[in-house]
Amino acid sequence: MIGELLAWLTDPAHWTGPGGILAQTLRHLYYCVVSVAAASLVAVPLGVYLGHTGRGSVLVVGASNAMRALPTLGLVTLLVLAFGLGELPALAGLVVLAIPSILSGAHAGVRNAPADAVDAARGMGMTPAQRLWQVELPTALPLVLGGVRSAMLQVVATAAVAAYVGLGGLGRILLDGLKISDYAQMASAAIVIAVLAVLLDLVLAGVTRLLVPRGLQLAARRGGTE
Amino acid sequence: MIDYFSSPSNRELVLDQLAEHVYLALLPLLLGVLLALPLGRLAQQVRWLRGALQGTANVVYTIPSLALFVLIPGLLGTPLLSSVNVVIALTLYTAALLVRPVQDALESVPAHVVAAATAMGYRPTRRFLTVELPLSVPVLAAAVRVASVSNISLVSVGALVGIGGLGRLFTDGFQRDHPVQIVIGIVLTLLLALVVDLLLVALWRLATPWARAEVGAA
Protein backbone atom coordinates (compact mmCIF):
# COMPACT_ATOMS: atom_id res chain seq x y z
CA MET A 1 0.00 0.00 0.00
CA ILE A 2 2.88 2.34 0.87
CA GLY A 3 4.53 1.40 -2.44
CA GLU A 4 1.45 2.37 -4.47
CA LEU A 5 1.21 5.59 -2.51
CA LEU A 6 4.82 6.51 -3.26
CA ALA A 7 4.33 5.58 -6.90
CA TRP A 8 1.31 7.90 -7.11
CA LEU A 9 3.05 10.72 -5.31
CA THR A 10 6.24 10.53 -7.36
CA ASP A 11 4.50 10.30 -10.75
CA PRO A 12 5.18 13.70 -12.36
CA ALA A 13 1.92 13.43 -14.33
CA HIS A 14 -0.02 13.78 -11.07
CA TRP A 15 1.73 17.01 -10.14
CA THR A 16 1.31 19.11 -13.26
CA GLY A 17 -1.70 20.21 -15.28
CA PRO A 18 -4.82 22.11 -14.25
CA GLY A 19 -6.05 19.35 -11.89
CA GLY A 20 -2.59 18.36 -10.66
CA ILE A 21 -1.29 18.56 -7.12
CA LEU A 22 0.58 21.83 -7.70
CA ALA A 23 -2.39 23.67 -9.19
CA GLN A 24 -4.77 22.33 -6.54
CA THR A 25 -2.36 23.19 -3.72
CA LEU A 26 -2.18 26.77 -4.98
CA ARG A 27 -5.97 26.85 -5.23
CA HIS A 28 -6.28 25.49 -1.67
CA LEU A 29 -3.79 28.05 -0.45
CA TYR A 30 -5.66 30.82 -2.24
CA TYR A 31 -8.98 29.91 -0.57
CA CYS A 32 -7.29 29.76 2.83
CA VAL A 33 -5.51 33.10 2.54
CA VAL A 34 -8.51 34.93 1.05
CA SER A 35 -11.01 33.68 3.61
CA VAL A 36 -8.74 34.17 6.63
CA ALA A 37 -7.87 37.67 5.39
CA ALA A 38 -11.54 38.53 4.87
CA ALA A 39 -12.44 37.14 8.29
CA SER A 40 -9.59 39.10 9.91
CA LEU A 41 -10.75 42.35 8.30
CA VAL A 42 -14.11 41.91 10.02
CA ALA A 43 -13.17 40.15 13.23
CA VAL A 44 -9.99 41.92 14.38
CA PRO A 45 -11.44 45.47 14.52
CA LEU A 46 -14.68 44.16 16.03
CA GLY A 47 -12.87 42.08 18.64
CA VAL A 48 -10.53 44.96 19.51
CA TYR A 49 -13.45 47.37 19.79
CA LEU A 50 -15.48 45.03 22.00
CA GLY A 51 -12.45 44.21 24.12
CA HIS A 52 -11.47 47.87 24.53
CA THR A 53 -14.94 49.03 25.49
CA GLY A 54 -15.75 45.87 27.45
CA ARG A 55 -19.07 45.59 25.67
CA GLY A 56 -20.61 42.31 24.54
CA SER A 57 -18.08 40.04 26.24
CA VAL A 58 -20.68 37.42 27.11
CA LEU A 59 -21.91 37.44 23.54
CA VAL A 60 -18.43 37.03 22.03
CA VAL A 61 -17.48 34.15 24.30
CA GLY A 62 -20.85 32.42 23.96
CA ALA A 63 -21.00 32.82 20.20
CA SER A 64 -17.49 31.57 19.61
CA ASN A 65 -18.14 28.51 21.79
CA ALA A 66 -21.35 27.72 19.94
CA MET A 67 -19.54 28.10 16.60
CA ARG A 68 -17.06 25.46 17.68
CA ALA A 69 -19.89 22.95 17.73
CA LEU A 70 -21.21 24.01 14.33
CA PRO A 71 -20.51 21.14 11.92
CA THR A 72 -18.47 22.31 8.93
CA LEU A 73 -20.01 19.97 6.42
CA GLY A 74 -23.54 20.91 7.44
CA LEU A 75 -22.88 24.63 7.16
CA VAL A 76 -21.23 24.37 3.75
CA THR A 77 -23.85 22.06 2.23
CA LEU A 78 -26.63 24.28 3.57
CA LEU A 79 -25.06 27.49 2.23
CA VAL A 80 -24.61 25.97 -1.21
CA LEU A 81 -28.19 24.66 -1.33
CA ALA A 82 -29.45 28.04 -0.18
CA PHE A 83 -27.39 30.24 -2.51
CA GLY A 84 -26.75 27.94 -5.43
CA LEU A 85 -23.82 25.81 -6.44
CA GLY A 86 -20.58 27.68 -6.82
CA GLU A 87 -17.45 28.89 -5.17
CA LEU A 88 -18.84 31.99 -3.51
CA PRO A 89 -21.21 30.27 -1.04
CA ALA A 90 -18.52 27.72 -0.17
CA LEU A 91 -16.01 30.52 0.41
CA ALA A 92 -18.59 32.35 2.53
CA GLY A 93 -18.81 29.21 4.66
CA LEU A 94 -15.03 29.33 5.20
CA VAL A 95 -15.17 33.00 6.23
CA VAL A 96 -18.00 32.31 8.68
CA LEU A 97 -15.99 29.50 10.23
CA ALA A 98 -12.84 31.60 10.52
CA ILE A 99 -14.50 34.59 12.23
CA PRO A 100 -15.14 33.19 15.76
CA SER A 101 -11.56 32.17 16.58
CA ILE A 102 -10.15 35.47 15.31
CA LEU A 103 -12.86 37.46 17.08
CA SER A 104 -12.37 35.70 20.41
CA GLY A 105 -8.57 35.97 20.09
CA ALA A 106 -8.67 39.72 19.45
CA HIS A 107 -11.29 40.23 22.14
CA ALA A 108 -9.46 38.20 24.80
CA GLY A 109 -6.15 39.81 23.86
CA VAL A 110 -7.33 43.39 24.39
CA ARG A 111 -9.55 42.46 27.34
CA ASN A 112 -6.66 40.77 29.14
CA ALA A 113 -4.07 43.48 28.58
CA PRO A 114 -2.22 43.69 31.93
CA ALA A 115 -4.24 46.02 34.14
CA ASP A 116 -1.18 47.61 35.77
CA ALA A 117 0.30 48.48 32.37
CA VAL A 118 -2.99 50.06 31.28
CA ASP A 119 -3.21 51.93 34.59
CA ALA A 120 0.37 53.13 34.21
CA ALA A 121 -0.44 54.39 30.71
CA ARG A 122 -3.48 56.20 32.08
CA GLY A 123 -1.33 57.70 34.85
CA MET A 124 1.14 58.96 32.27
CA GLY A 125 -1.72 60.90 30.70
CA MET A 126 -2.25 58.81 27.60
CA THR A 127 -5.56 59.29 25.82
CA PRO A 128 -7.77 56.20 25.32
CA ALA A 129 -6.62 56.02 21.67
CA GLN A 130 -2.96 56.17 22.70
CA ARG A 131 -3.54 53.48 25.31
CA LEU A 132 -5.16 51.30 22.71
CA TRP A 133 -2.42 51.72 20.09
CA GLN A 134 0.63 51.79 22.33
CA VAL A 135 -0.28 49.47 25.20
CA GLU A 136 -3.34 47.30 24.66
CA LEU A 137 -2.76 46.30 21.04
CA PRO A 138 0.91 45.35 21.35
CA THR A 139 0.29 43.24 24.45
CA ALA A 140 -2.74 41.67 22.73
CA LEU A 141 -0.78 40.65 19.62
CA PRO A 142 0.14 37.09 20.70
CA LEU A 143 -3.51 36.25 21.35
CA VAL A 144 -4.73 38.03 18.19
CA LEU A 145 -2.27 36.06 16.08
CA GLY A 146 -3.12 32.88 18.00
CA GLY A 147 -6.72 33.36 16.90
CA VAL A 148 -5.64 33.84 13.28
CA ARG A 149 -3.52 30.72 13.53
CA SER A 150 -6.32 28.49 14.76
CA ALA A 151 -8.68 30.00 12.19
CA MET A 152 -6.18 29.13 9.46
CA LEU A 153 -6.03 25.50 10.61
CA GLN A 154 -9.79 25.27 10.61
CA VAL A 155 -9.99 26.77 7.13
CA VAL A 156 -7.36 24.41 5.67
CA ALA A 157 -9.42 21.49 6.97
CA THR A 158 -12.73 22.97 5.90
CA ALA A 159 -11.55 23.82 2.39
CA ALA A 160 -10.78 20.11 1.99
CA VAL A 161 -14.31 19.27 3.10
CA ALA A 162 -15.84 21.96 0.89
CA ALA A 163 -14.55 20.15 -2.20
CA TYR A 164 -17.69 18.05 -1.71
CA VAL A 165 -19.84 20.99 -2.83
CA GLY A 166 -17.66 21.87 -5.78
CA LEU A 167 -14.81 23.88 -4.35
CA GLY A 168 -11.49 23.05 -6.01
CA GLY A 169 -8.32 22.44 -4.07
CA LEU A 170 -6.74 19.37 -2.56
CA GLY A 171 -10.03 17.99 -1.26
CA ARG A 172 -11.05 17.60 -4.92
CA ILE A 173 -8.18 15.15 -5.54
CA LEU A 174 -9.07 13.25 -2.38
CA LEU A 175 -12.78 12.93 -3.15
CA ASP A 176 -12.13 12.06 -6.80
CA GLY A 177 -9.88 9.28 -5.54
CA LEU A 178 -12.68 8.09 -3.29
CA LYS A 179 -15.12 8.04 -6.20
CA ILE A 180 -12.89 5.73 -8.26
CA SER A 181 -11.70 3.88 -5.10
CA ASP A 182 -8.08 4.75 -5.80
CA TYR A 183 -6.64 4.65 -2.32
CA ALA A 184 -3.18 5.79 -3.43
CA GLN A 185 -4.68 8.98 -4.85
CA MET A 186 -6.77 9.66 -1.73
CA ALA A 187 -3.88 9.07 0.63
CA SER A 188 -1.53 11.21 -1.47
CA ALA A 189 -3.99 14.10 -1.34
CA ALA A 190 -4.46 13.55 2.40
CA ILE A 191 -0.71 13.71 2.95
CA VAL A 192 -0.39 16.92 0.94
CA ILE A 193 -3.30 18.47 2.90
CA ALA A 194 -1.68 17.49 6.20
CA VAL A 195 1.71 18.85 5.15
CA LEU A 196 0.11 22.10 3.94
CA ALA A 197 -1.65 22.51 7.29
CA VAL A 198 1.54 21.91 9.27
CA LEU A 199 3.55 24.28 7.03
CA LEU A 200 0.98 27.08 7.24
CA ASP A 201 0.96 26.71 11.01
CA LEU A 202 4.75 26.96 11.10
CA VAL A 203 4.70 30.06 8.87
CA LEU A 204 2.17 31.76 11.16
CA ALA A 205 4.22 30.77 14.21
CA GLY A 206 7.18 32.48 12.54
CA VAL A 207 5.10 35.57 11.76
CA THR A 208 4.01 35.70 15.41
CA ARG A 209 7.62 35.61 16.52
CA LEU A 210 8.50 38.44 14.10
CA LEU A 211 5.59 40.70 15.01
CA VAL A 212 5.37 40.37 18.76
CA PRO A 213 7.41 43.17 20.36
CA ARG A 214 10.77 42.07 21.70
CA GLY A 215 10.07 43.34 25.19
CA LEU A 216 7.00 41.12 25.46
CA GLN A 217 8.90 38.08 24.25
CA LEU A 218 11.62 38.70 26.82
CA ALA A 219 9.02 39.12 29.55
CA ALA A 220 7.29 35.88 28.54
CA ARG A 221 10.61 33.99 28.57
CA ARG A 222 11.51 35.38 31.95
CA GLY A 223 8.06 34.46 33.27
CA GLY A 224 8.45 30.98 31.84
CA THR A 225 11.69 30.15 33.62
CA GLU A 226 10.74 31.50 37.00
CA MET B 1 -39.98 20.26 9.43
CA ILE B 2 -43.09 18.48 10.72
CA ASP B 3 -43.62 17.02 7.25
CA TYR B 4 -40.14 15.64 7.36
CA PHE B 5 -40.68 13.83 10.65
CA SER B 6 -44.09 12.49 9.65
CA SER B 7 -42.30 10.00 7.38
CA PRO B 8 -41.26 6.93 9.42
CA SER B 9 -38.23 6.28 7.21
CA ASN B 10 -36.95 9.82 7.86
CA ARG B 11 -37.51 9.40 11.60
CA GLU B 12 -35.61 6.15 11.53
CA LEU B 13 -32.74 7.69 9.53
CA VAL B 14 -32.37 10.60 11.94
CA LEU B 15 -32.53 8.46 15.10
CA ASP B 16 -30.10 5.85 13.75
CA GLN B 17 -27.57 8.48 12.71
CA LEU B 18 -27.96 10.32 16.01
CA ALA B 19 -27.20 7.12 17.95
CA GLU B 20 -24.22 6.42 15.69
CA HIS B 21 -23.02 10.00 16.18
CA VAL B 22 -23.19 9.76 19.97
CA TYR B 23 -21.18 6.56 19.91
CA LEU B 24 -18.59 7.89 17.44
CA ALA B 25 -18.05 11.10 19.42
CA LEU B 26 -18.10 9.82 23.00
CA LEU B 27 -16.11 6.59 22.74
CA PRO B 28 -13.04 8.52 21.44
CA LEU B 29 -13.55 11.11 24.18
CA LEU B 30 -13.30 8.38 26.82
CA LEU B 31 -10.37 6.63 25.11
CA GLY B 32 -8.60 9.95 24.55
CA VAL B 33 -8.87 10.90 28.22
CA LEU B 34 -7.54 7.48 29.24
CA LEU B 35 -4.61 7.93 26.84
CA ALA B 36 -3.89 11.53 27.83
CA LEU B 37 -3.68 10.82 31.58
CA PRO B 38 -0.50 8.70 31.50
CA LEU B 39 0.99 10.89 28.74
CA GLY B 40 0.32 14.09 30.67
CA ARG B 41 1.75 12.46 33.80
CA LEU B 42 4.89 11.57 31.84
CA ALA B 43 5.17 15.12 30.51
CA GLN B 44 4.82 16.44 34.05
CA GLN B 45 7.49 14.19 35.54
CA VAL B 46 10.03 13.53 32.79
CA ARG B 47 11.38 16.89 31.67
CA TRP B 48 13.12 15.82 28.49
CA LEU B 49 9.96 14.08 27.23
CA ARG B 50 7.85 17.18 27.71
CA GLY B 51 8.92 19.02 24.55
CA ALA B 52 8.66 15.91 22.38
CA LEU B 53 5.18 15.03 23.68
CA GLN B 54 3.85 18.54 23.26
CA GLY B 55 5.40 18.90 19.81
CA THR B 56 3.81 15.63 18.68
CA ALA B 57 0.47 16.65 20.16
CA ASN B 58 0.60 19.99 18.30
CA VAL B 59 1.36 18.33 14.96
CA VAL B 60 -1.41 15.71 15.41
CA TYR B 61 -3.91 18.43 16.23
CA THR B 62 -2.83 20.37 13.12
CA ILE B 63 -3.68 17.55 10.66
CA PRO B 64 -7.13 18.12 9.12
CA SER B 65 -9.70 15.49 10.11
CA LEU B 66 -10.55 14.40 6.56
CA ALA B 67 -6.85 13.71 5.89
CA LEU B 68 -6.54 11.74 9.11
CA PHE B 69 -9.66 9.66 8.36
CA VAL B 70 -8.07 8.67 5.04
CA LEU B 71 -4.51 8.11 6.28
CA ILE B 72 -5.33 5.84 9.23
CA PRO B 73 -6.51 2.87 7.10
CA GLY B 74 -3.24 3.03 5.14
CA LEU B 75 -1.14 3.12 8.30
CA LEU B 76 -3.04 0.52 10.31
CA GLY B 77 -4.60 -1.66 7.61
CA THR B 78 -8.18 -1.06 8.77
CA PRO B 79 -10.88 -1.03 6.04
CA LEU B 80 -11.35 2.43 4.50
CA LEU B 81 -15.09 2.56 5.21
CA SER B 82 -14.82 1.35 8.80
CA SER B 83 -15.94 3.57 11.66
CA VAL B 84 -12.85 2.36 13.55
CA ASN B 85 -10.89 5.01 11.60
CA VAL B 86 -13.04 7.81 12.99
CA VAL B 87 -12.73 6.41 16.51
CA ILE B 88 -8.93 6.24 16.23
CA ALA B 89 -8.60 9.68 14.64
CA LEU B 90 -10.79 11.39 17.25
CA THR B 91 -9.06 9.51 20.07
CA LEU B 92 -5.77 10.93 18.80
CA TYR B 93 -7.24 14.45 18.60
CA THR B 94 -8.67 14.20 22.12
CA ALA B 95 -5.40 12.91 23.54
CA ALA B 96 -3.40 15.57 21.67
CA LEU B 97 -5.69 18.29 22.98
CA LEU B 98 -5.51 17.01 26.57
CA VAL B 99 -1.82 16.21 27.14
CA ARG B 100 -0.98 19.80 27.97
CA PRO B 101 -4.00 20.44 30.25
CA VAL B 102 -3.39 17.16 32.12
CA GLN B 103 0.15 18.32 32.79
CA ASP B 104 -1.00 21.79 33.86
CA ALA B 105 -3.77 20.30 36.01
CA LEU B 106 -1.38 17.96 37.82
CA GLU B 107 1.01 20.83 38.38
CA SER B 108 -1.79 22.89 39.90
CA VAL B 109 -2.07 20.41 42.79
CA PRO B 110 -0.41 22.12 45.79
CA ALA B 111 2.97 20.59 46.62
CA HIS B 112 2.20 20.40 50.34
CA VAL B 113 -0.85 18.21 49.64
CA VAL B 114 1.29 15.79 47.62
CA ALA B 115 3.93 15.85 50.36
CA ALA B 116 1.28 15.15 53.01
CA ALA B 117 0.01 12.14 51.07
CA THR B 118 3.56 10.85 50.69
CA ALA B 119 4.14 11.32 54.42
CA MET B 120 1.00 9.31 55.15
CA GLY B 121 2.59 6.41 53.31
CA TYR B 122 0.75 6.67 49.94
CA ARG B 123 2.72 4.93 47.21
CA PRO B 124 3.06 6.92 43.93
CA THR B 125 0.33 5.04 42.02
CA ARG B 126 -2.22 5.30 44.81
CA ARG B 127 -1.23 8.91 45.49
CA PHE B 128 -1.74 9.71 41.81
CA LEU B 129 -5.15 8.03 41.58
CA THR B 130 -6.64 9.08 44.93
CA VAL B 131 -5.05 12.49 45.61
CA GLU B 132 -3.47 14.22 42.61
CA LEU B 133 -5.97 13.16 39.93
CA PRO B 134 -9.16 14.13 41.83
CA LEU B 135 -7.64 17.47 42.84
CA SER B 136 -6.74 18.27 39.24
CA VAL B 137 -10.28 17.68 37.94
CA PRO B 138 -11.36 21.36 38.05
CA VAL B 139 -8.47 22.46 35.78
CA LEU B 140 -8.93 19.46 33.50
CA ALA B 141 -12.68 19.93 33.14
CA ALA B 142 -12.49 22.92 30.80
CA ALA B 143 -10.25 21.10 28.33
CA VAL B 144 -12.40 17.97 28.30
CA ARG B 145 -15.43 20.10 27.51
CA VAL B 146 -13.63 21.64 24.52
CA ALA B 147 -12.59 18.17 23.34
CA SER B 148 -16.17 16.87 23.54
CA VAL B 149 -17.55 19.76 21.51
CA SER B 150 -14.86 19.44 18.86
CA ASN B 151 -15.38 15.65 18.60
CA ILE B 152 -19.11 16.06 18.17
CA SER B 153 -18.52 18.58 15.39
CA LEU B 154 -15.81 16.53 13.63
CA VAL B 155 -17.69 13.20 13.43
CA SER B 156 -19.83 14.67 10.66
CA VAL B 157 -16.81 14.94 8.33
CA GLY B 158 -16.70 11.12 8.38
CA ALA B 159 -19.81 11.10 6.20
CA LEU B 160 -17.59 12.11 3.27
CA VAL B 161 -15.75 8.79 3.51
CA GLY B 162 -18.94 6.82 4.09
CA ILE B 163 -19.04 6.73 7.91
CA GLY B 164 -22.40 7.11 9.66
CA GLY B 165 -23.47 9.84 12.04
CA LEU B 166 -25.37 13.08 11.62
CA GLY B 167 -23.04 13.99 8.75
CA ARG B 168 -25.10 11.50 6.69
CA LEU B 169 -27.98 13.96 6.92
CA PHE B 170 -25.74 16.58 5.27
CA THR B 171 -24.48 14.46 2.36
CA ASP B 172 -27.86 12.81 1.86
CA GLY B 173 -29.69 16.13 2.15
CA PHE B 174 -27.26 17.75 -0.28
CA GLN B 175 -27.69 15.03 -2.90
CA ARG B 176 -31.49 15.06 -2.58
CA ASP B 177 -31.53 18.90 -2.54
CA HIS B 178 -33.29 18.77 0.82
CA PRO B 179 -32.16 21.74 3.02
CA VAL B 180 -34.57 20.81 5.84
CA GLN B 181 -32.67 17.59 6.44
CA ILE B 182 -29.40 19.55 6.66
CA VAL B 183 -30.89 22.02 9.12
CA ILE B 184 -32.13 19.12 11.26
CA GLY B 185 -28.62 17.67 11.21
CA ILE B 186 -27.05 20.97 12.28
CA VAL B 187 -29.60 21.57 15.04
CA LEU B 188 -29.21 18.03 16.40
CA THR B 189 -25.41 18.39 16.38
CA LEU B 190 -25.61 21.65 18.34
CA LEU B 191 -28.16 20.16 20.77
CA LEU B 192 -26.02 17.07 21.27
CA ALA B 193 -22.99 19.24 22.03
CA LEU B 194 -25.03 21.24 24.53
CA VAL B 195 -26.48 18.17 26.29
CA VAL B 196 -23.10 16.43 26.53
CA ASP B 197 -21.58 19.64 27.88
CA LEU B 198 -24.26 19.92 30.57
CA LEU B 199 -23.74 16.26 31.48
CA LEU B 200 -19.99 16.83 31.79
CA VAL B 201 -20.53 19.84 34.06
CA ALA B 202 -22.86 17.72 36.25
CA LEU B 203 -20.24 14.96 36.30
CA TRP B 204 -17.51 17.33 37.49
CA ARG B 205 -19.73 18.60 40.26
CA LEU B 206 -20.31 15.03 41.41
CA ALA B 207 -16.59 14.27 41.17
CA THR B 208 -15.52 17.27 43.25
CA PRO B 209 -17.73 17.26 46.36
CA TRP B 210 -15.15 19.28 48.31
CA ALA B 211 -15.61 22.25 45.97
CA ARG B 212 -19.29 22.42 46.90
CA ALA B 213 -18.48 21.95 50.59
CA GLU B 214 -16.12 24.94 50.45
CA VAL B 215 -18.72 27.12 48.79
CA GLY B 216 -21.22 26.05 51.44
CA ALA B 217 -18.82 26.90 54.27
CA ALA B 218 -17.93 30.30 52.88
Side-chain angles (χ1 to χ4, degrees), chain A residues 73-74 81 153 164 178 183 190 193, chain B residues 62 70 74 160 170-171 175 177:
Chain A
L73 185 60
L81 279 193
L153 285 186
Y164 181 73
L178 181 67
Y183 183 76
I193 294 172
Chain B
T62 308
V70 169
L160 288 183
F170 306 146
T171 49
Q175 274 156 13
D177 196 4

Side-chain angles (χ1 to χ4, degrees), chain A residues 72-206:
Chain A
T72 297
L73 185 60
L75 181 70
V76 174
T77 44
L78 187 65
L79 279 172
V80 169
L81 279 193
F83 299 106
L85 211 59
E87 289 193 342
L88 211 60
L91 267 176
L94 297 184
V95 176
V96 169
L97 277 169
I99 285 180
S101 353
I102 303 177
L103 183 66
S104 65
H107 177 262
V110 173
R111 197 90 205 99
N112 299 333
D116 42 0
V118 177
D119 278 348
R122 196 175 283 136
M124 286 165 67
M126 284 191 181
T127 64
Q130 281 174 323
R131 281 207 306 274
L132 178 64
W133 281 105
Q134 296 176 22
V135 180
E136 292 175 354
L137 273 182
T139 52
L141 254 181
L143 280 181
V144 177
L145 292 170
V148 173
R149 213 169 136 184
S150 63
M152 184 61 93
L153 285 186
Q154 242 179 319
V155 168
V156 176
T158 312
V161 170
Y164 181 73
V165 295
L167 206 61
L170 292 164
R172 186 76 269 138
I173 301 182
L174 196 157
L175 292 178
D176 287 347
L178 181 67
K179 217 173 285 167
I180 55 171
S181 1
D182 181 349
Y183 183 76
Q185 178 177 339
M186 287 177 79
S188 302
I191 288 176
V192 181
I193 294 172
V195 169
L196 183 68
V198 172
L199 282 182
L200 273 174
D201 195 48
L202 281 178
V203 168
L204 284 178

Side-chain angles (χ1 to χ4, degrees), chain A residues 43 46-47 50 56-71 96-108 147 150-151 154, chain B residues 145-146 149-150 153 190 193:
Chain A
L46 188 63
L50 293 175
S57 295
V58 182
L59 198 70
V60 170
V61 175
S64 51
N65 280 346
M67 298 289 255
R68 219 200 301 266
L70 197 63
V96 169
L97 277 169
I99 285 180
S101 353
I102 303 177
L103 183 66
S104 65
H107 177 262
S150 63
Q154 242 179 319
Chain B
R145 288 171 67 185
V146 171
V149 172
S150 110
S153 160
L190 295 178

